[in-house]
Amino acid sequence: MINLAVIGAGAMGHQIAMLAALGGYSTTLHDVKEDSLENASEKLNKIMDKWVKKSKVTEAERTEAFERLSFTTTLEEAAREADFIIEAVTERLEVKREVFTKLDQIAPPHTVLATNSSTIVSSLLADATRRPKQVCNMHFFFPPLVMDCVEIVKGEHTSEETVQKSIEVCERMKRTAVLLKKEVSGFVANRLLLALQKEAMHLYEEGYADFQDIDKIARKALNHPIGPFELMDLSGIDVGYYVMQQQYEESGNPQDQPSETLLNKMKAGELGRKTGRGFYSYH
């Protein structure tokens, strides 16, 4: 059985780990915080209970998936026998580089190191390892257990073998892999979303419409499932802030800087659904 590890048990990581376990991989979910792992286990049990009730999986499939899934706070335990590793830590370049350096030292020579980053291209991480050919982007969408698409981004350093292995992992997870043949910050989906969110924020900050009404127009007129401000709350204000900050650092274009509104939300700790308040209140 192929061993797969997911590094980071946050909103993305724990669901990616469950996709791997459901796909038949012996899966280890790692986080530095024990309470994050406990929270991840609790959430996954609730989700899988609902899936059984809705007949998305059988009780036997649920049990087998959890038997294949283990949790650890020790990076060495997660990585030392892994054949494929997906990193899903915070969207900060310096943090990811540190993780990749450690993983490169621990993981077997053949192991692929994929980052789930939503905007940081893997060429910014590959030189932190001695295996750049085995480094790529493998961007799942939130929430991974619901969203079907995965963007696989091939950097100039990434081998065709690594791309094929990444596609095979997606297929085992029953997720649609879409290959981007070269790197671009933000990839495809987030570049489209960021363009929409920037314009929505401009219209709001300039007083053309309240954010609730902008969301309503996106839903009613454009047939979007949720509006841009609702989406920022769902994915996390901090995630959007760090994505824009990364793009600004790469481009130097002032228009790529996070808006004043996002900065104020960050300072206030109003990060969206996960904190109970963002643009909307969830109490």
Side-chain angles (χ1 to χ4, degrees):
M1 185 183 293
I2 295 175
N3 297 316
L4 189 145
V6 179
I7 311 303
M12 298 294 290
H14 74 282
Q15 293 202 14
I16 295 171
M18 179 51 73
L19 282 175
L22 287 167
Y25 292 109
S26 177
T27 307
T28 305
L29 178 60
H30 168 271
D31 201 282
V32 293
K33 298 178 180 177
E34 184 67 46
D35 60 344
S36 294
L37 294 174
E38 291 173 1
N39 188 39
S41 178
E42 184 179 332
K43 286 180 177 178
L44 289 174
N45 272 286
K46 288 181 180 178
I47 292 170
M48 289 299 105
D49 285 346
K50 289 180 181 178
W51 278 29
V52 170
K53 288 179 181 177
K54 293 180 179 179
S55 299
K56 289 186 176 183
V57 295
T58 64
E59 185 65 50
E61 288 170 335
R62 177 199 185 283
T63 300
E64 289 167 5
F66 274 105
E67 286 175 351
R68 287 189 287 265
L69 180 60
S70 60
F71 303 83
T72 182
T73 56
T74 306
L75 192 63
E76 185 167 330
E77 186 178 337
R80 67 188 173 201
E81 295 181 2
D83 302 297
F84 199 102
I85 299 177
I86 301 172
E87 166 272 314
V89 303
T90 187
E91 198 74 355
R92 305 290 293 275
L93 178 58
E94 64 273 18
V95 176
K96 290 182 184 291
R97 283 183 62 85
E98 183 180 349
V99 170
F100 267 68
T101 298
K102 290 178 179 177
L103 290 173
D104 183 55
Q105 294 167 352
I106 299 168
H110 68 274
T111 305
V112 169
L113 304 180
T115 175
N116 178 55
S117 175
S118 57
T119 186
I120 297 171
V121 291
S122 68
S123 59
L124 297 175
L125 303 171
D127 66 343
T129 77
R130 297 161 295 180
R131 62 181 86 197
K133 291 182 179 180
Q134 291 149 250
V135 177
C136 69
N137 283 93
M138 193 174 183
H139 175 220
F140 292 77
F141 290 87
F142 182 81
L145 283 166
V146 175
M147 301 296 285
D148 178 36
C149 189
V150 180
E151 291 176 318
I152 294 175
V153 188
K154 183 182 185 299
E156 290 185 4
H157 56 280
T158 310
S159 71
E160 286 294 338
E161 183 182 2
T162 296
V163 169
Q164 289 308 311
K165 284 182 178 179
S166 301
I167 291 172
E168 287 169 14
V169 169
C170 289
E171 288 173 349
R172 286 277 294 272
M173 292 180 173
K174 297 183 179 178
R175 288 295 174 266
T176 301
V178 181
L179 176 63
L180 277 65
K181 298 176 182 177
K182 57 182 182 179
E183 294 183 333
V184 60
S185 180
F187 318 140
V188 172
N190 276 342
R191 290 181 74 87
L192 296 175
L193 279 176
L194 280 172
L196 176 66
Q197 289 176 356
K198 282 181 183 178
E199 185 59 26
M201 191 67 75
H202 169 73
L203 293 168
Y204 167 61
E205 290 185 334
E206 293 298 315
Y208 292 105
D210 291 335
F211 67 84
Q212 299 97 324
D213 290 330
I214 294 171
D215 279 348
K216 188 181 296 182
I217 290 167
R219 292 195 310 271
K220 300 290 186 180
L222 304 181
N223 204 28
H224 291 188
I226 60 175
F229 295 94
E230 292 170 311
L231 182 57
M232 282 186 265
D233 274 4
L234 179 63
S235 59
I237 301 292
D238 54 333
V239 173
Y241 176 87
Y242 291 136
V243 165
M244 295 190 73
Q245 189 64 32
Q246 179 66 32
Q247 283 203 326
Y248 171 63
E249 288 174 8
E250 291 179 25
S251 71
N253 185 347
Q255 291 185 339
D256 289 336
Q257 279 186 299
S259 70
E260 191 70 25
T261 299
L262 284 185
L263 180 59
N264 290 336
K265 292 286 183 190
M266 286 286 289
K267 288 179 178 177
E270 297 176 355
L271 307 182
R273 286 179 178 267
K274 60 187 172 185
T275 59
R277 186 170 185 82
F279 287 96
Y280 296 86
S281 177
Y282 301 93
H283 293 295

